[in-house]
Each structure stands twice: as structure tokens, then as C-alpha cells.
Amino acid sequence: MTREELVRSITHAVTLYVDSPEYFDANPQLRINPATFDVVAVNGKDAYTDIADSVEAIEDEAAAQGDETEDATDFQASQDPDFYAIKDYVVKESNGKLKVDVKAVERLAESYIK
């Protein structure tokens, strides 16, 4: 994936929030898989569930693998999503309407792909 493609994916996810904020809770999040660059807009409570599930998966794999847990843990950690508050990627226009903060989205994409 190129940086421009990641910018488009992040912009799309943030736009979902901007267009329909009523579908999200008070803490909407961007969920980005650092291995696949899959980007999704989720509710804050869903982000906390994902984090708990990731920790549980690591623990389950460690128990199943015995001494071989380091490789499984490394793989699981590479798949653990990163979360960012969507509200950090929007700006309010003078008329009060929200829009995507293009510069903030570009900085986030650049943190993954230079």
C-alpha cells in the first residue's frame, strides 16, 4: 500500500464519522492494523473490546505453545490494531460543520509509510 492509498483509507473512515456522527459513541476511534493497513472507524467501547481480545489471544497462544510462545506473541503483536481518536482528525468550520483535517490525516499516514 502506498502512503496516498493509506491517506484515502483514513480519510474515508473519518468521513464516515463526519457524515454520520450520530452512529458513533462519545469516543469514536480509528482502528488501524499496522500489518495490513486496514482502517476502520469504530466506537470507543469497541476499541476497548478489541484490546482485551488481543491480550486474551496472546495469553491463549502462549498457553498452547509452551516454550514456542515468543514467535506466536510476536505475530499476534504485529496484528494488534492501533487506535486513534477520530476527533483528532476533524476540524470544525466557521459554520460549525465538521470536516476531515487533511494535514492531520497525512501526518498519521506518514507515521506508517514514509
PDB file of all heavy atoms in Angstrom, residues 39-65:
ATOM      1  N   VAL A  39      -8.102   0.040   7.781  1.00  0.00           N
ATOM      2  CA  VAL A  39      -8.554   1.178   8.578  1.00  0.00           C
ATOM      3  C   VAL A  39     -10.071   1.112   8.723  1.00  0.00           C
ATOM      4  O   VAL A  39     -10.784   0.980   7.723  1.00  0.00           O
ATOM      5  CB  VAL A  39      -8.170   2.522   7.917  1.00  0.00           C
ATOM      6  CG1 VAL A  39      -8.631   3.698   8.769  1.00  0.00           C
ATOM      7  CG2 VAL A  39      -6.679   2.596   7.657  1.00  0.00           C
ATOM      8  N   VAL A  40     -10.546   1.216   9.970  1.00  0.00           N
ATOM      9  CA  VAL A  40     -11.975   1.164  10.250  1.00  0.00           C
ATOM     10  C   VAL A  40     -12.308   2.192  11.320  1.00  0.00           C
ATOM     11  O   VAL A  40     -11.536   2.386  12.254  1.00  0.00           O
ATOM     12  CB  VAL A  40     -12.391  -0.245  10.751  1.00  0.00           C
ATOM     13  CG1 VAL A  40     -13.874  -0.322  11.028  1.00  0.00           C
ATOM     14  CG2 VAL A  40     -11.971  -1.314   9.773  1.00  0.00           C
ATOM     15  N   ALA A  41     -13.474   2.833  11.170  1.00  0.00           N
ATOM     16  CA  ALA A  41     -13.994   3.718  12.216  1.00  0.00           C
ATOM     17  C   ALA A  41     -14.842   2.864  13.156  1.00  0.00           C
ATOM     18  O   ALA A  41     -15.731   2.140  12.703  1.00  0.00           O
ATOM     19  CB  ALA A  41     -14.833   4.832  11.599  1.00  0.00           C
ATOM     20  N   VAL A  42     -14.546   2.924  14.453  1.00  0.00           N
ATOM     21  CA  VAL A  42     -15.271   2.131  15.439  1.00  0.00           C
ATOM     22  C   VAL A  42     -15.654   3.003  16.631  1.00  0.00           C
ATOM     23  O   VAL A  42     -15.081   4.067  16.845  1.00  0.00           O
ATOM     24  CB  VAL A  42     -14.449   0.916  15.935  1.00  0.00           C
ATOM     25  CG1 VAL A  42     -14.127  -0.035  14.800  1.00  0.00           C
ATOM     26  CG2 VAL A  42     -13.180   1.358  16.646  1.00  0.00           C
ATOM     27  N   ASN A  43     -16.602   2.513  17.400  1.00  0.00           N
ATOM     28  CA  ASN A  43     -16.944   3.171  18.653  1.00  0.00           C
ATOM     29  C   ASN A  43     -15.843   2.927  19.668  1.00  0.00           C
ATOM     30  O   ASN A  43     -15.155   1.907  19.618  1.00  0.00           O
ATOM     31  CB  ASN A  43     -18.262   2.630  19.205  1.00  0.00           C
ATOM     32  CG  ASN A  43     -19.447   3.168  18.445  1.00  0.00           C
ATOM     33  OD1 ASN A  43     -19.556   4.365  18.221  1.00  0.00           O
ATOM     34  ND2 ASN A  43     -20.331   2.281  18.030  1.00  0.00           N
ATOM     35  N   GLY A  44     -15.697   3.844  20.600  1.00  0.00           N
ATOM     36  CA  GLY A  44     -14.676   3.708  21.627  1.00  0.00           C
ATOM     37  C   GLY A  44     -14.808   2.421  22.412  1.00  0.00           C
ATOM     38  O   GLY A  44     -13.817   1.762  22.713  1.00  0.00           O
ATOM     39  N   LYS A  45     -16.045   2.038  22.746  1.00  0.00           N
ATOM     40  CA  LYS A  45     -16.234   0.805  23.518  1.00  0.00           C
ATOM     41  C   LYS A  45     -15.769  -0.418  22.725  1.00  0.00           C
ATOM     42  O   LYS A  45     -15.271  -1.376  23.291  1.00  0.00           O
ATOM     43  CB  LYS A  45     -17.682   0.655  23.969  1.00  0.00           C
ATOM     44  CG  LYS A  45     -18.667   0.453  22.870  1.00  0.00           C
ATOM     45  CD  LYS A  45     -20.082   0.319  23.384  1.00  0.00           C
ATOM     46  CE  LYS A  45     -21.018   0.168  22.197  1.00  0.00           C
ATOM     47  NZ  LYS A  45     -22.382   0.064  22.593  1.00  0.00           N
ATOM     48  N   ASP A  46     -15.892  -0.377  21.396  1.00  0.00           N
ATOM     49  CA  ASP A  46     -15.406  -1.478  20.560  1.00  0.00           C
ATOM     50  C   ASP A  46     -13.884  -1.551  20.577  1.00  0.00           C
ATOM     51  O   ASP A  46     -13.300  -2.633  20.515  1.00  0.00           O
ATOM     52  CB  ASP A  46     -15.899  -1.327  19.116  1.00  0.00           C
ATOM     53  CG  ASP A  46     -17.415  -1.394  19.011  1.00  0.00           C
ATOM     54  OD1 ASP A  46     -18.047  -2.051  19.859  1.00  0.00           O
ATOM     55  OD2 ASP A  46     -17.962  -0.761  18.088  1.00  0.00           O
ATOM     56  N   ALA A  47     -13.234  -0.393  20.657  1.00  0.00           N
ATOM     57  CA  ALA A  47     -11.772  -0.359  20.726  1.00  0.00           C
ATOM     58  C   ALA A  47     -11.288  -1.070  21.971  1.00  0.00           C
ATOM     59  O   ALA A  47     -10.337  -1.850  21.923  1.00  0.00           O
ATOM     60  CB  ALA A  47     -11.271   1.084  20.699  1.00  0.00           C
ATOM     61  N   TYR A  48     -11.939  -0.806  23.104  1.00  0.00           N
ATOM     62  CA  TYR A  48     -11.537  -1.453  24.352  1.00  0.00           C
ATOM     63  C   TYR A  48     -11.754  -2.965  24.291  1.00  0.00           C
ATOM     64  O   TYR A  48     -10.949  -3.739  24.803  1.00  0.00           O
ATOM     65  CB  TYR A  48     -12.278  -0.849  25.542  1.00  0.00           C
ATOM     66  CG  TYR A  48     -11.945   0.601  25.747  1.00  0.00           C
ATOM     67  CD1 TYR A  48     -12.933   1.568  25.768  1.00  0.00           C
ATOM     68  CD2 TYR A  48     -10.621   1.030  25.889  1.00  0.00           C
ATOM     69  CE1 TYR A  48     -12.627   2.914  25.938  1.00  0.00           C
ATOM     70  CE2 TYR A  48     -10.303   2.368  26.049  1.00  0.00           C
ATOM     71  CZ  TYR A  48     -11.310   3.300  26.084  1.00  0.00           C
ATOM     72  OH  TYR A  48     -11.001   4.617  26.236  1.00  0.00           O
ATOM     73  N   THR A  49     -12.815  -3.402  23.618  1.00  0.00           N
ATOM     74  CA  THR A  49     -13.065  -4.832  23.444  1.00  0.00           C
ATOM     75  C   THR A  49     -11.971  -5.459  22.593  1.00  0.00           C
ATOM     76  O   THR A  49     -11.479  -6.552  22.887  1.00  0.00           O
ATOM     77  CB  THR A  49     -14.445  -5.049  22.794  1.00  0.00           C
ATOM     78  OG1 THR A  49     -15.450  -4.481  23.642  1.00  0.00           O
ATOM     79  CG2 THR A  49     -14.731  -6.521  22.579  1.00  0.00           C
ATOM     80  N   ASP A  50     -11.575  -4.770  21.507  1.00  0.00           N
ATOM     81  CA  ASP A  50     -10.502  -5.278  20.641  1.00  0.00           C
ATOM     82  C   ASP A  50      -9.194  -5.435  21.402  1.00  0.00           C
ATOM     83  O   ASP A  50      -8.470  -6.412  21.214  1.00  0.00           O
ATOM     84  CB  ASP A  50     -10.277  -4.350  19.455  1.00  0.00           C
ATOM     85  CG  ASP A  50     -11.332  -4.487  18.373  1.00  0.00           C
ATOM     86  OD1 ASP A  50     -12.164  -5.412  18.479  1.00  0.00           O
ATOM     87  OD2 ASP A  50     -11.315  -3.678  17.433  1.00  0.00           O
ATOM     88  N   ILE A  51      -8.887  -4.470  22.255  1.00  0.00           N
ATOM     89  CA  ILE A  51      -7.654  -4.546  23.048  1.00  0.00           C
ATOM     90  C   ILE A  51      -7.697  -5.746  23.973  1.00  0.00           C
ATOM     91  O   ILE A  51      -6.737  -6.510  24.066  1.00  0.00           O
ATOM     92  CB  ILE A  51      -7.425  -3.239  23.832  1.00  0.00           C
ATOM     93  CG1 ILE A  51      -7.109  -2.103  22.852  1.00  0.00           C
ATOM     94  CG2 ILE A  51      -6.315  -3.403  24.860  1.00  0.00           C
ATOM     95  CD1 ILE A  51      -7.158  -0.725  23.475  1.00  0.00           C
ATOM     96  N   ALA A  52      -8.812  -5.935  24.645  1.00  0.00           N
ATOM     97  CA  ALA A  52      -8.956  -7.078  25.552  1.00  0.00           C
ATOM     98  C   ALA A  52      -8.852  -8.396  24.790  1.00  0.00           C
ATOM     99  O   ALA A  52      -8.221  -9.351  25.257  1.00  0.00           O
ATOM    100  CB  ALA A  52     -10.282  -6.994  26.299  1.00  0.00           C
ATOM    101  N   ASP A  53      -9.453  -8.462  23.601  1.00  0.00           N
ATOM    102  CA  ASP A  53      -9.381  -9.679  22.787  1.00  0.00           C
ATOM    103  C   ASP A  53      -7.952  -9.976  22.355  1.00  0.00           C
ATOM    104  O   ASP A  53      -7.532 -11.135  22.319  1.00  0.00           O
ATOM    105  CB  ASP A  53     -10.274  -9.562  21.553  1.00  0.00           C
ATOM    106  CG  ASP A  53     -11.759  -9.614  21.886  1.00  0.00           C
ATOM    107  OD1 ASP A  53     -12.111  -9.985  23.030  1.00  0.00           O
ATOM    108  OD2 ASP A  53     -12.563  -9.259  21.003  1.00  0.00           O
ATOM    109  N   SER A  54      -7.177  -8.954  22.026  1.00  0.00           N
ATOM    110  CA  SER A  54      -5.789  -9.149  21.625  1.00  0.00           C
ATOM    111  C   SER A  54      -4.962  -9.714  22.771  1.00  0.00           C
ATOM    112  O   SER A  54      -4.159 -10.625  22.586  1.00  0.00           O
ATOM    113  CB  SER A  54      -5.176  -7.830  21.154  1.00  0.00           C
ATOM    114  OG  SER A  54      -5.765  -7.420  19.960  1.00  0.00           O
ATOM    115  N   VAL A  55      -5.154  -9.177  23.961  1.00  0.00           N
ATOM    116  CA  VAL A  55      -4.439  -9.675  25.132  1.00  0.00           C
ATOM    117  C   VAL A  55      -4.818 -11.125  25.402  1.00  0.00           C
ATOM    118  O   VAL A  55      -3.958 -11.966  25.654  1.00  0.00           O
ATOM    119  CB  VAL A  55      -4.724  -8.784  26.362  1.00  0.00           C
ATOM    120  CG1 VAL A  55      -4.192  -9.432  27.633  1.00  0.00           C
ATOM    121  CG2 VAL A  55      -4.126  -7.408  26.164  1.00  0.00           C
ATOM    122  N   GLU A  56      -6.104 -11.442  25.291  1.00  0.00           N
ATOM    123  CA  GLU A  56      -6.560 -12.811  25.522  1.00  0.00           C
ATOM    124  C   GLU A  56      -5.975 -13.768  24.483  1.00  0.00           C
ATOM    125  O   GLU A  56      -5.559 -14.881  24.815  1.00  0.00           O
ATOM    126  CB  GLU A  56      -8.083 -12.872  25.479  1.00  0.00           C
ATOM    127  CG  GLU A  56      -8.620 -14.252  25.783  1.00  0.00           C
ATOM    128  CD  GLU A  56     -10.147 -14.303  25.786  1.00  0.00           C
ATOM    129  OE1 GLU A  56     -10.793 -13.252  25.695  1.00  0.00           O
ATOM    130  OE2 GLU A  56     -10.668 -15.423  25.883  1.00  0.00           O
ATOM    131  N   ALA A  57      -5.904 -13.343  23.229  1.00  0.00           N
ATOM    132  CA  ALA A  57      -5.346 -14.193  22.178  1.00  0.00           C
ATOM    133  C   ALA A  57      -3.879 -14.498  22.448  1.00  0.00           C
ATOM    134  O   ALA A  57      -3.421 -15.626  22.256  1.00  0.00           O
ATOM    135  CB  ALA A  57      -5.507 -13.528  20.815  1.00  0.00           C
ATOM    136  N   ILE A  58      -3.132 -13.501  22.895  1.00  0.00           N
ATOM    137  CA  ILE A  58      -1.718 -13.722  23.228  1.00  0.00           C
ATOM    138  C   ILE A  58      -1.601 -14.722  24.376  1.00  0.00           C
ATOM    139  O   ILE A  58      -0.793 -15.648  24.323  1.00  0.00           O
ATOM    140  CB  ILE A  58      -1.026 -12.392  23.583  1.00  0.00           C
ATOM    141  CG1 ILE A  58      -0.860 -11.542  22.327  1.00  0.00           C
ATOM    142  CG2 ILE A  58       0.338 -12.638  24.231  1.00  0.00           C
ATOM    143  CD1 ILE A  58      -0.381 -10.135  22.597  1.00  0.00           C
ATOM    144  N   GLU A  59      -2.407 -14.559  25.397  1.00  0.00           N
ATOM    145  CA  GLU A  59      -2.357 -15.463  26.541  1.00  0.00           C
ATOM    146  C   GLU A  59      -2.743 -16.884  26.145  1.00  0.00           C
ATOM    147  O   GLU A  59      -2.117 -17.850  26.571  1.00  0.00           O
ATOM    148  CB  GLU A  59      -3.258 -14.945  27.656  1.00  0.00           C
ATOM    149  CG  GLU A  59      -2.729 -13.675  28.296  1.00  0.00           C
ATOM    150  CD  GLU A  59      -3.726 -13.031  29.259  1.00  0.00           C
ATOM    151  OE1 GLU A  59      -4.890 -13.469  29.322  1.00  0.00           O
ATOM    152  OE2 GLU A  59      -3.323 -12.069  29.930  1.00  0.00           O
ATOM    153  N   ASP A  60      -3.787 -17.033  25.322  1.00  0.00           N
ATOM    154  CA  ASP A  60      -4.214 -18.360  24.870  1.00  0.00           C
ATOM    155  C   ASP A  60      -3.126 -19.032  24.042  1.00  0.00           C
ATOM    156  O   ASP A  60      -2.844 -20.221  24.202  1.00  0.00           O
ATOM    157  CB  ASP A  60      -5.497 -18.262  24.040  1.00  0.00           C
ATOM    158  CG  ASP A  60      -6.716 -17.905  24.871  1.00  0.00           C
ATOM    159  OD1 ASP A  60      -6.625 -17.943  26.130  1.00  0.00           O
ATOM    160  OD2 ASP A  60      -7.757 -17.569  24.268  1.00  0.00           O
ATOM    161  N   GLU A  61      -2.514 -18.271  23.137  1.00  0.00           N
ATOM    162  CA  GLU A  61      -1.459 -18.821  22.293  1.00  0.00           C
ATOM    163  C   GLU A  61      -0.248 -19.216  23.133  1.00  0.00           C
ATOM    164  O   GLU A  61       0.378 -20.248  22.904  1.00  0.00           O
ATOM    165  CB  GLU A  61      -1.062 -17.821  21.211  1.00  0.00           C
ATOM    166  CG  GLU A  61      -0.139 -18.383  20.161  1.00  0.00           C
ATOM    167  CD  GLU A  61      -0.769 -19.482  19.326  1.00  0.00           C
ATOM    168  OE1 GLU A  61      -1.990 -19.484  19.128  1.00  0.00           O
ATOM    169  OE2 GLU A  61      -0.006 -20.362  18.876  1.00  0.00           O
ATOM    170  N   ALA A  62       0.075 -18.420  24.115  1.00  0.00           N
ATOM    171  CA  ALA A  62       1.210 -18.729  24.984  1.00  0.00           C
ATOM    172  C   ALA A  62       0.965 -20.033  25.730  1.00  0.00           C
ATOM    173  O   ALA A  62       1.871 -20.865  25.848  1.00  0.00           O
ATOM    174  CB  ALA A  62       1.451 -17.587  25.972  1.00  0.00           C
ATOM    175  N   ALA A  63      -0.226 -20.227  26.208  1.00  0.00           N
ATOM    176  CA  ALA A  63      -0.548 -21.458  26.926  1.00  0.00           C
ATOM    177  C   ALA A  63      -0.486 -22.667  25.996  1.00  0.00           C
ATOM    178  O   ALA A  63      -0.020 -23.739  26.392  1.00  0.00           O
ATOM    179  CB  ALA A  63      -1.935 -21.347  27.555  1.00  0.00           C
ATOM    180  N   ALA A  64      -0.927 -22.514  24.761  1.00  0.00           N
ATOM    181  CA  ALA A  64      -0.946 -23.623  23.811  1.00  0.00           C
ATOM    182  C   ALA A  64       0.441 -23.968  23.289  1.00  0.00           C
ATOM    183  O   ALA A  64       0.730 -25.129  23.015  1.00  0.00           O
ATOM    184  CB  ALA A  64      -1.866 -23.292  22.638  1.00  0.00           C
ATOM    185  N   GLN A  65       1.321 -22.980  23.167  1.00  0.00           N
ATOM    186  CA  GLN A  65       2.619 -23.189  22.540  1.00  0.00           C
ATOM    187  C   GLN A  65       3.726 -23.594  23.500  1.00  0.00           C
ATOM    188  O   GLN A  65       4.772 -24.039  23.064  1.00  0.00           O
ATOM    189  CB  GLN A  65       3.048 -21.922  21.790  1.00  0.00           C
ATOM    190  CG  GLN A  65       2.177 -21.580  20.615  1.00  0.00           C
ATOM    191  CD  GLN A  65       2.330 -22.588  19.490  1.00  0.00           C
ATOM    192  OE1 GLN A  65       3.402 -23.122  19.264  1.00  0.00           O
ATOM    193  NE2 GLN A  65       1.246 -22.870  18.799  1.00  0.00           N
TER     194      GLN A  65
END
